[in-house]
Amino acid sequence: MAVTLKDVAERAGVSTSAVSRTFTEGASVSPKTRAKVEKAAEALGYSPNALASSLTTGRTKLIGLVSNNFHNPLFLEVFDRFTRGLQDRGLRPLLVNLRVEETDPEASVRMLRQYSVDGAIVASSTLPPSFAEAYRAAGIPVVHSFGRFTTAPQVHVVGIDNVACGRMAGEALISRGYTRVAFLGGPEQATSTQDRALGFMAALREHPEIEVSASYASAYSFDAGRVEMTKLLMQGPAEAYFCGDDVLSIGALSAVQEAGLSCPGDIGIIGLNDMQMSGWQNINLTTIRQPVAEIIGASIDLVVGTVEDPKRHPETRLFPCRVIERGTLRPVR
């Protein structure tokens, strides 16, 4: 039979309320009583009931982790870092796996309220700002990780400046002397796609001698990148592409190789994210590194701080990115 709070109280020679206070964060209990209770609990193998504790504290220690990117290999790292980071803070993630096309927050908001989560992290670079804002309107402290940069956020936003990354990619292609370049983005309605394209095109507008075009894949996925690049190869490809995501880039690279072409000999490719497999020897993708660990750490800090102070003013935290030189672009001239 499971050891109960009453069993611990009897062994320690204290009241059940003293045991309850010992295991309630912030509750008042004398050092002597705490020591007796902890000794008795250890001897009996007692662990506090988290659900019972939540009735006392009003906190479930559940944090909703909401994403529509579980299909993306990058999210393996994101999921690992978020879950371990939350657990290290004594919190438990409650996963909400959205459909890729899902942009209505109503169902996920309802689910998280049913579980009485203390807060939520929306981890997505494609969902619009209004998605996370709906959580705040429902009274759920929320952080939008990998969200869209704004100078006047309605919720906490942690991520990168996608416009600046697009410009960085454009400048990388310009510095290598390419004269026909293109943007191969993810879904055109995704905020990250829009911003990366905006920055890329802005950089190329300063070089009217360079021919530039844009196309969009149906999803941020290997298959979508492969399909879109296959179409582009049949139409007459550019010399180099900024693919708005590493997974798209790897799909595009596969199509290039399947067509009997080489990269970067015939076509150059630069991605964005620097997920682990991008550095594998058989891929060796030149890409823009997104500092995932720093973004996730800041997101957890913000959601914990907002749970403690729900009136905390929304802020934006941006982290710088940089080009990781590998083997899918020719050298700088």
Side-chain angles (χ1 to χ4, degrees):
M1 295 179 63
V3 179
T4 67
L5 184 143
K6 183 179 179 182
D7 296 331
V8 176
E10 290 177 351
R11 185 177 182 99
V14 300
S15 66
T16 55
S17 63
V19 177
S20 178
R21 292 197 305 275
T22 298
F23 294 108
T24 300
E25 187 176 349
S28 176
V29 60
S30 70
K32 181 178 179 180
T33 298
R34 181 181 297 278
K36 290 166 66 176
V37 170
E38 290 177 346
K39 182 178 179 180
E42 182 178 1
L44 294 172
Y46 171 78
S47 295
N49 186 303
L51 293 177
S53 176
S54 70
L55 296 176
T56 303
T57 62
R59 297 275 178 84
T60 61
K61 295 191 176 181
L62 289 173
I63 300 296
L65 179 55
V66 184
S67 183
N68 59 352
N69 293 337
F70 281 89
H71 64 283
N72 191 319
L74 174 67
F75 204 82
L76 292 174
E77 178 184 356
V78 172
F79 171 77
D80 177 57
R81 290 186 179 277
F82 262 128
T83 53
R84 286 192 289 113
L86 289 169
Q87 288 164 186
D88 288 346
R89 304 285 283 265
L91 302 168
R92 293 176 294 280
L94 177 65
L95 299 182
V96 179
N97 188 359
L98 302 174
R99 296 186 302 276
V100 174
E101 70 280 4
E102 189 171 348
T103 57
D104 185 349
E106 182 180 352
S108 56
V109 167
R110 184 167 59 249
M111 178 190 297
L112 294 187
R113 293 185 71 176
Q114 288 172 342
Y115 282 92
S116 300
V117 298
D118 291 340
I121 296 171
V122 176
S124 172
S125 65
T126 60
L127 289 170
S130 59
F131 194 95
E133 290 166 11
Y135 284 68
R136 187 187 187 199
I140 301 174
V142 63
V143 174
H144 191 168
S145 299
F146 309 100
R148 192 174 206 175
F149 166 67
T150 174
T151 55
Q154 299 302 304
V155 301
H156 299 301
V157 176
V158 184
I160 61 175
D161 185 340
N162 281 298
V163 176
C165 286
R167 175 175 283 277
M168 188 181 300
E171 291 170 349
L173 300 188
I174 293 165
S175 69
R176 286 161 170 80
Y178 292 111
T179 58
R180 288 184 293 110
V181 303
F183 175 71
L184 197 171
E188 193 168 3
Q189 71 276 14
T191 58
S192 54
T193 301
Q194 295 166 5
D195 290 346
R196 291 167 191 176
L198 183 65
F200 183 77
M201 294 301 180
L204 270 299
R205 275 198 299 273
E206 299 170 8
H207 295 266
E209 74 280 6
I210 299 177
E211 182 182 330
V212 60
S213 59
S215 62
Y216 300 91
S218 60
Y220 279 123
S221 70
F222 173 90
D223 288 340
R226 181 180 169 87
V227 167
E228 188 61 28
M229 179 56 80
T230 299
K231 289 194 298 185
L232 293 168
L233 291 173
M234 290 188 294
Q235 296 167 4
E239 293 178 329
Y241 289 85
F242 168 41
C243 298
D245 173 270
D246 280 4
V247 179
L248 279 178
S249 300
I250 295 170
L253 178 61
S254 173
V256 169
Q257 294 170 340
E258 182 70 18
L261 301 173
S262 69
C263 186
D266 296 302
I267 294 176
I269 294 176
I270 181 171
L272 190 152
N273 276 333
D274 193 30
M275 62 184 190
Q276 186 181 30
M277 70 172 65
S278 298
W280 292 355
Q281 187 175 4
N282 64 324
I283 296 174
N284 199 30
L285 178 69
T286 299
T287 188
I288 296 171
R289 174 172 291 167
Q290 179 170 208
V292 171
E294 289 87 344
I295 291 170
I296 290 172
S299 298
I300 293 174
D301 285 343
L302 276 174
V303 79
V304 170
T306 308
V307 168
E308 296 297 329
D309 179 13
K311 295 183 179 180
R312 181 171 180 160
H313 190 72
E315 60 181 276
T316 297
R317 294 189 186 180
L318 294 182
F319 291 87
C321 297
R322 62 188 177 92
V323 174
I324 303 299
E325 299 283 357
R326 292 198 182 101
T328 56
L329 288 183
R330 65 194 186 194
V332 175
R333 290 195 306 181

